[in-house]
Amino acid sequence: ETVRRFYGLTMDYISHMMAAGVWLSGPLFLMLGLCLTSFIVFVTLFHSVPFYGPYWSLGGVLNSLLTLFWYINILWNYLGTYLTNPGTPEPNTHHDINHQKYCRKCKAIKPIRTHHCYVCDQCVYKMDHHCPWVGNCVGHNNHKYFILFLQYVVVGCLYATVMGYLPFVEAGNTKNPFIYYNRHIGRGSVIFCWILSIALTFAVGCLYGWQMMLVLTNQTSIEFYINRKLSWQARKSGRTYQNPFDLGIKVNFQEFFGTRNGKYWFSWLLPNGTQSEGDGTSFPVIQNAEEII
């Protein structure tokens, strides 16, 4: 009994230390992400764009506007993910107890799809994960910001990769430490920017693809593993398990990005154009969901 208690206390201490480390590193990851993104934008806007022609030309104007558009959207959604409360239940708030669980840490009944974050030390509505890169939990209220942040990082870095290819080749073929028409940007910066852009395109692109798969199947990262376990248990007993919140790709997309109720189809792409439906405490389910769960 003593050994078991010592083991439990030790594991609690380790988990709390790890959570504190993740929490303290959040601002550092946040600043690093902003610096890397701003660096790519700076090199793209002040080197890659004028490489193909003057700013006042049609191509220069369009490319400058595109660069600023995806940069503004990256910043908006990045800060939106960081600053927006993901949604947390109030202590001792009572909802429909039939579909709730009790959180011993928060000492409150938590709504369905709510999970406790050991880094933030609070329950989060429809929690997906705690992301150190944004210094916040990703939950019901800011998950859309997170998805759009990933999307514009991928689009922006892909754009910077394409635009920066010829400048990258030129920088690799010259021994001059500065590019001849822009002495403020060294050839090393051009080379590093292109390598960083293509690396982020693939790395963040994989994460974006994973997150969009979850959106279109109406799951979170936590629920994906729960559903996989329940599906395995159902197969062992000769039954078929189905995610009760999966209403179909179209409806899942509309519910997450809030594009129903007569809104323009592209409104989800604009800064603060739409919000996810619901308040994070209840969700529509498929028919006979009680028999499937």
Side-chain angles (χ1 to χ4, degrees):
E1 182 66 27
T2 303
V3 174
R4 186 182 302 133
R5 183 178 301 176
F6 176 77
Y7 175 79
L9 292 174
T10 302
M11 295 305 296
D12 285 343
Y13 175 78
I14 293 175
S15 64
H16 280 87
M17 290 299 295
M18 292 178 63
V22 173
W23 183 81
L24 291 173
S25 64
L28 298 178
F29 281 110
L30 179 68
M31 293 305 300
L32 178 61
L34 290 174
C35 289
L36 291 177
T37 304
S38 300
F39 170 74
I40 293 175
V41 171
F42 178 80
V43 175
T44 301
L45 189 59
F46 294 103
H47 179 73
S48 298
V49 171
F51 181 88
Y52 297 97
Y55 285 114
W56 57 84
S57 65
L58 179 60
V61 171
L62 291 178
N63 284 318
S64 298
L65 291 176
L66 283 174
T67 303
L68 293 175
F69 174 76
W70 60 259
Y71 182 53
I72 290 172
N73 276 279
I74 286 176
L75 290 180
W76 178 271
N77 291 293
Y78 196 26
L79 295 177
T81 309
Y82 172 66
L83 297 175
T84 302
N85 188 318
T88 57
E90 295 292 335
N92 301 321
T93 297
H94 293 274
H95 300 278
D96 181 9
I97 289 182
N98 293 329
H99 292 83
Q100 312 303 318
K101 293 183 178 180
Y102 186 77
C103 178
R104 292 177 297 175
K105 297 287 185 179
C106 298
K107 293 180 171 56
I109 296 175
K110 56 184 182 181
I112 193 169
R113 309 185 81 176
T114 299
H115 297 277
H116 188 87
C117 174
Y118 287 89
V119 178
C120 299
D121 196 25
Q122 62 183 2
C123 285
V124 176
Y125 291 153
K126 197 185 175 187
M127 178 181 173
D128 187 82
H129 68 290
H130 184 95
C131 181
W133 283 100
V134 298
N136 198 4
C137 271
V138 177
H140 176 76
N141 294 342
N142 64 349
H143 200 170
K144 181 199 166 188
Y145 285 119
F146 182 72
I147 291 287
L148 291 180
F149 161 66
L150 297 179
Q151 175 176 286
Y152 281 109
V153 167
V154 174
V155 172
C157 288
L158 181 61
Y159 172 82
T161 300
V162 174
M163 289 289 293
Y165 176 71
L166 291 181
F168 166 76
V169 173
E170 183 204 51
N173 291 333
T174 182
K175 296 182 180 180
N176 191 337
F178 291 97
I179 306 304
Y180 68 91
Y181 59 84
N182 193 338
R183 294 191 58 82
H184 297 289
I185 300 179
R187 61 187 292 266
S189 296
V190 175
I191 295 173
F192 176 70
C193 177
W194 191 81
I195 295 175
L196 177 64
S197 297
I198 197 170
L200 288 178
T201 299
F202 283 103
V204 180
C206 291
L207 178 58
Y208 174 70
W210 161 259
Q211 284 288 320
M212 282 302 298
M213 183 275 293
L214 295 176
V215 169
L216 297 179
T217 55
N218 210 328
Q219 303 178 84
T220 63
S221 296
I222 296 175
E223 291 170 351
F224 173 81
Y225 294 102
I226 294 175
N227 289 333
R228 189 170 66 171
K229 179 181 179 180
L230 292 176
S231 179
W232 176 75
Q233 291 176 343
R235 285 197 304 269
K236 285 184 61 178
S237 59
R239 297 181 294 111
T240 300
Y241 173 80
Q242 184 177 356
N243 175 17
F245 305 106
D246 188 358
L247 306 176
I249 292 177
K250 182 179 179 180
V251 177
N252 292 339
F253 182 92
Q254 292 175 336
E255 178 185 299
F256 184 86
F257 288 105
T259 55
R260 288 192 283 194
N261 302 323
K263 296 178 180 178
Y264 295 110
W265 66 268
F266 56 84
S267 57
W268 66 282
L269 295 169
L270 304 177
N272 205 28
T274 57
Q275 297 295 329
S276 297
E277 295 181 1
D279 59 0
T281 63
S282 61
F283 303 88
V285 295
I286 59 178
Q287 293 182 351
N288 302 321
E290 289 78 11
E291 299 178 6
I292 298 173
I293 296 176

